[in-house]
Amino acid sequence: AMLEPWMVALVIQMTEMGRVGYDPQEGLDQQLIKRASADNKRTMGLETGASQIAVLDGMSAEEQRQSLAEALDDASDNKEMDKLHDEWRRGDAAALEQLLTVDFKSRYASLYQRIDVDRNQAWLPKLQSLLDNEHHDDAMIVVGSMHLLGPDGLVSQLQKKGYKVERL
């Protein structure tokens, strides 16, 4: 009763990931941060931890209910995380797009707008600044898969602005 629904959803998601064997400390972002540190490379975030919490905490009551429902739906499907991980490892962008954007958007349109579309739009000027700065080192940008996919994704948005985006 003391936690808001978005926080309960986050706890459920993290607990479920651990339960099925995924350690957030071993995720791709953490591996890349460790590598950058070992190579003395500068890192920065597209948003702060406080701004991430503000996105979650600023959700309407309906969006928070959607977030909790999504977490509970995913927790009830033990194979969902493995399927998602397998699609990601295979680089199956079409399958990932269906699961992460199309299905999610159809079930939770408002939540999708807040956590994907709005944040992507906020990040675009920062990405453009990194990409356009000729006097700066190369940049690697790491975001969750959902932020890359579909017409609202960063790849599509950057391409619309004239950038050539290649999958490596």
Side-chain angles (χ1 to χ4, degrees):
M2 294 174 48
L3 299 176
E4 292 188 51
W6 68 264
M7 182 59 155
V8 175
L10 192 58
V11 169
I12 290 169
Q13 291 165 344
M14 298 306 287
T15 301
E16 187 61 17
M17 285 178 63
R19 189 183 71 73
V20 297
Y22 294 97
D23 181 355
Q25 295 304 312
E26 296 300 320
L28 179 62
D29 56 343
Q30 294 301 314
Q31 297 298 315
L32 291 170
I33 289 168
K34 289 175 190 172
R35 176 81 183 264
S37 177
D39 293 345
N40 293 316
K41 298 213 181 249
R42 188 172 54 90
T43 62
M44 61 179 256
L46 293 173
E47 59 190 9
T48 64
S51 67
Q52 289 176 341
I53 290 171
V55 166
L56 298 171
D57 197 43
M59 288 191 288
S60 68
E62 176 62 22
E63 289 168 333
Q64 289 196 44
R65 284 191 292 276
Q66 288 178 349
S67 176
L68 183 54
E70 171 75 2
L72 291 169
D73 286 349
D74 287 351
S76 67
D77 186 354
N78 296 335
K79 295 181 179 151
E80 188 73 18
M81 185 61 69
D82 286 338
K83 179 181 176 185
L84 180 63
H85 184 256
D86 181 57
E87 290 168 351
W88 180 82
R89 297 274 308 183
R90 287 185 293 111
D92 190 340
L96 285 169
E97 181 179 350
Q98 183 66 39
L99 182 64
L100 293 174
T101 63
V102 176
D103 290 348
F104 185 76
K105 183 178 180 180
S106 71
R107 291 185 294 161
Y108 307 106
S110 180
L111 184 59
Y112 172 80
Q113 177 71 35
R114 176 176 289 278
I115 67 171
D116 190 57
V117 178
D118 293 350
R119 289 168 72 207
N120 287 351
Q121 291 303 309
W123 295 344
L124 273 173
K126 295 175 184 178
L127 298 179
Q128 287 181 262
S129 177
L130 284 170
L131 296 169
D132 292 345
N133 190 343
E134 294 177 14
H135 305 291
H136 207 276
D137 291 335
D138 290 338
M140 179 190 318
I141 300 159
V142 181
V143 297
S145 298
M146 186 168 137
H147 294 287
L148 299 172
L149 304 167
D152 300 317
L154 293 170
V155 170
S156 177
Q157 295 300 312
L158 286 167
Q159 288 171 332
K160 286 178 187 175
K161 292 186 176 290
Y163 294 92
K164 180 180 176 189
V165 181
E166 295 179 46
R167 182 175 171 191
L168 301 177

